[in-house]
Short mmCIF file of all heavy atoms in Angstrom, two decimals:
data_model
loop_
_atom_site.label_atom_id
_atom_site.label_comp_id
_atom_site.label_asym_id
_atom_site.label_seq_id
_atom_site.Cartn_x
_atom_site.Cartn_y
_atom_site.Cartn_z
N GLY A 206 -72.41 -82.42 -20.88
CA GLY A 206 -71.14 -82.56 -20.16
C GLY A 206 -71.16 -83.72 -19.19
O GLY A 206 -70.10 -84.24 -18.82
N TYR A 207 -72.34 -84.16 -18.76
CA TYR A 207 -72.44 -85.34 -17.90
C TYR A 207 -72.72 -86.57 -18.74
O TYR A 207 -73.57 -86.55 -19.62
CB TYR A 207 -73.55 -85.17 -16.86
CG TYR A 207 -73.85 -86.46 -16.14
CD1 TYR A 207 -72.95 -86.98 -15.22
CD2 TYR A 207 -74.98 -87.21 -16.45
CE1 TYR A 207 -73.19 -88.20 -14.60
CE2 TYR A 207 -75.23 -88.42 -15.84
CZ TYR A 207 -74.32 -88.91 -14.91
OH TYR A 207 -74.54 -90.12 -14.32
N ALA A 208 -71.99 -87.65 -18.48
CA ALA A 208 -72.20 -88.92 -19.17
C ALA A 208 -72.42 -90.01 -18.13
O ALA A 208 -71.56 -90.25 -17.28
CB ALA A 208 -70.99 -89.25 -20.05
N GLN A 209 -73.58 -90.67 -18.20
CA GLN A 209 -73.85 -91.78 -17.28
C GLN A 209 -73.08 -93.01 -17.76
O GLN A 209 -73.14 -93.37 -18.94
CB GLN A 209 -75.36 -92.06 -17.25
CG GLN A 209 -75.81 -92.98 -16.13
CD GLN A 209 -75.61 -94.45 -16.44
OE1 GLN A 209 -75.66 -94.86 -17.60
NE2 GLN A 209 -75.38 -95.25 -15.42
N CYS A 210 -72.34 -93.63 -16.86
CA CYS A 210 -71.53 -94.79 -17.27
C CYS A 210 -71.25 -95.66 -16.06
O CYS A 210 -71.43 -95.25 -14.91
CB CYS A 210 -70.21 -94.33 -17.91
SG CYS A 210 -69.20 -93.26 -16.87
N THR A 211 -70.78 -96.87 -16.33
CA THR A 211 -70.52 -97.83 -15.25
C THR A 211 -69.39 -97.37 -14.34
O THR A 211 -69.34 -97.75 -13.17
CB THR A 211 -70.18 -99.22 -15.83
OG1 THR A 211 -69.11 -99.07 -16.79
CG2 THR A 211 -71.37 -99.84 -16.53
N GLU A 212 -68.48 -96.55 -14.86
CA GLU A 212 -67.37 -96.06 -14.02
C GLU A 212 -67.86 -95.11 -12.93
O GLU A 212 -67.22 -94.97 -11.89
CB GLU A 212 -66.32 -95.32 -14.87
CG GLU A 212 -65.56 -96.21 -15.83
CD GLU A 212 -66.20 -96.22 -17.21
OE1 GLU A 212 -67.44 -96.12 -17.31
OE2 GLU A 212 -65.46 -96.32 -18.20
N GLY A 213 -69.01 -94.45 -13.17
CA GLY A 213 -69.52 -93.48 -12.21
C GLY A 213 -68.62 -92.26 -12.11
O GLY A 213 -67.76 -92.18 -11.22
N LEU A 214 -68.78 -91.30 -13.01
CA LEU A 214 -67.86 -90.16 -13.08
C LEU A 214 -67.81 -89.37 -11.78
O LEU A 214 -66.75 -88.87 -11.39
CB LEU A 214 -68.28 -89.23 -14.23
CG LEU A 214 -68.12 -89.77 -15.65
CD1 LEU A 214 -68.46 -88.69 -16.66
CD2 LEU A 214 -66.71 -90.29 -15.89
N MET A 215 -68.93 -89.24 -11.09
CA MET A 215 -68.95 -88.40 -9.90
C MET A 215 -68.24 -89.06 -8.72
O MET A 215 -67.81 -88.37 -7.80
CB MET A 215 -70.38 -88.03 -9.51
CG MET A 215 -71.05 -87.18 -10.56
SD MET A 215 -72.41 -86.20 -9.93
CE MET A 215 -71.54 -84.88 -9.11
N ARG A 216 -68.11 -90.37 -8.77
CA ARG A 216 -67.42 -91.05 -7.67
C ARG A 216 -65.99 -90.56 -7.55
O ARG A 216 -65.46 -90.37 -6.46
CB ARG A 216 -67.44 -92.57 -7.91
CG ARG A 216 -66.81 -93.38 -6.77
CD ARG A 216 -66.83 -94.86 -7.06
NE ARG A 216 -68.18 -95.38 -7.16
CZ ARG A 216 -68.74 -95.78 -8.30
NH1 ARG A 216 -68.06 -95.72 -9.44
NH2 ARG A 216 -69.98 -96.23 -8.32
N GLU A 217 -65.34 -90.35 -8.69
CA GLU A 217 -63.94 -89.93 -8.68
C GLU A 217 -63.76 -88.45 -8.94
O GLU A 217 -62.90 -87.81 -8.36
CB GLU A 217 -63.15 -90.72 -9.72
CG GLU A 217 -61.66 -90.42 -9.69
CD GLU A 217 -60.86 -91.34 -10.58
OE1 GLU A 217 -61.45 -92.27 -11.18
OE2 GLU A 217 -59.64 -91.13 -10.67
N PHE A 218 -64.62 -87.87 -9.80
CA PHE A 218 -64.37 -86.50 -10.26
C PHE A 218 -65.35 -85.48 -9.71
O PHE A 218 -65.13 -84.28 -9.85
CB PHE A 218 -64.41 -86.45 -11.80
CG PHE A 218 -63.55 -87.48 -12.45
CD1 PHE A 218 -64.10 -88.53 -13.16
CD2 PHE A 218 -62.17 -87.43 -12.33
CE1 PHE A 218 -63.31 -89.49 -13.76
CE2 PHE A 218 -61.37 -88.38 -12.93
CZ PHE A 218 -61.94 -89.42 -13.64
N ASP A 219 -66.43 -85.95 -9.09
CA ASP A 219 -67.49 -85.09 -8.61
C ASP A 219 -67.82 -84.04 -9.67
O ASP A 219 -68.09 -84.39 -10.81
CB ASP A 219 -67.14 -84.46 -7.25
CG ASP A 219 -68.39 -83.97 -6.52
OD1 ASP A 219 -69.29 -84.79 -6.30
OD2 ASP A 219 -68.47 -82.77 -6.20
N ARG A 220 -67.71 -82.74 -9.36
CA ARG A 220 -68.18 -81.73 -10.30
C ARG A 220 -67.16 -81.40 -11.40
O ARG A 220 -67.39 -80.52 -12.22
CB ARG A 220 -68.62 -80.49 -9.54
CG ARG A 220 -69.93 -80.78 -8.79
CD ARG A 220 -70.34 -79.68 -7.87
NE ARG A 220 -70.78 -78.49 -8.59
CZ ARG A 220 -71.48 -77.52 -8.03
NH1 ARG A 220 -71.85 -77.63 -6.76
NH2 ARG A 220 -71.82 -76.46 -8.72
N GLY A 221 -66.07 -82.14 -11.46
CA GLY A 221 -65.14 -82.01 -12.57
C GLY A 221 -65.48 -82.95 -13.72
O GLY A 221 -64.71 -83.07 -14.67
N TYR A 222 -66.65 -83.60 -13.65
CA TYR A 222 -67.00 -84.65 -14.62
C TYR A 222 -67.10 -84.13 -16.05
O TYR A 222 -66.79 -84.85 -17.00
CB TYR A 222 -68.30 -85.35 -14.22
CG TYR A 222 -69.50 -84.45 -14.09
CD1 TYR A 222 -70.21 -84.02 -15.20
CD2 TYR A 222 -69.94 -84.04 -12.83
CE1 TYR A 222 -71.31 -83.19 -15.08
CE2 TYR A 222 -71.04 -83.21 -12.70
CZ TYR A 222 -71.71 -82.79 -13.82
OH TYR A 222 -72.79 -81.96 -13.69
N SER A 223 -67.57 -82.89 -16.25
CA SER A 223 -67.80 -82.42 -17.62
C SER A 223 -66.49 -82.31 -18.40
O SER A 223 -66.44 -82.57 -19.60
CB SER A 223 -68.54 -81.08 -17.64
OG SER A 223 -67.78 -80.08 -16.99
N GLU A 224 -65.40 -81.93 -17.71
CA GLU A 224 -64.11 -81.85 -18.39
C GLU A 224 -63.58 -83.25 -18.71
O GLU A 224 -62.88 -83.44 -19.71
CB GLU A 224 -63.12 -81.06 -17.54
CG GLU A 224 -63.48 -79.58 -17.48
CD GLU A 224 -62.44 -78.74 -16.78
OE1 GLU A 224 -61.47 -79.32 -16.24
OE2 GLU A 224 -62.59 -77.51 -16.76
#
Side-chain angles (χ1 to χ4, degrees):
Y207 169 72
Q209 193 278 331
C210 57
T211 53
E212 293 94 327
L214 292 185
M215 296 203 77
R216 183 181 297 110
E217 185 172 357
F218 309 112
D219 200 57
R220 289 172 70 163
Y222 58 80
S223 62
E224 290 186 355

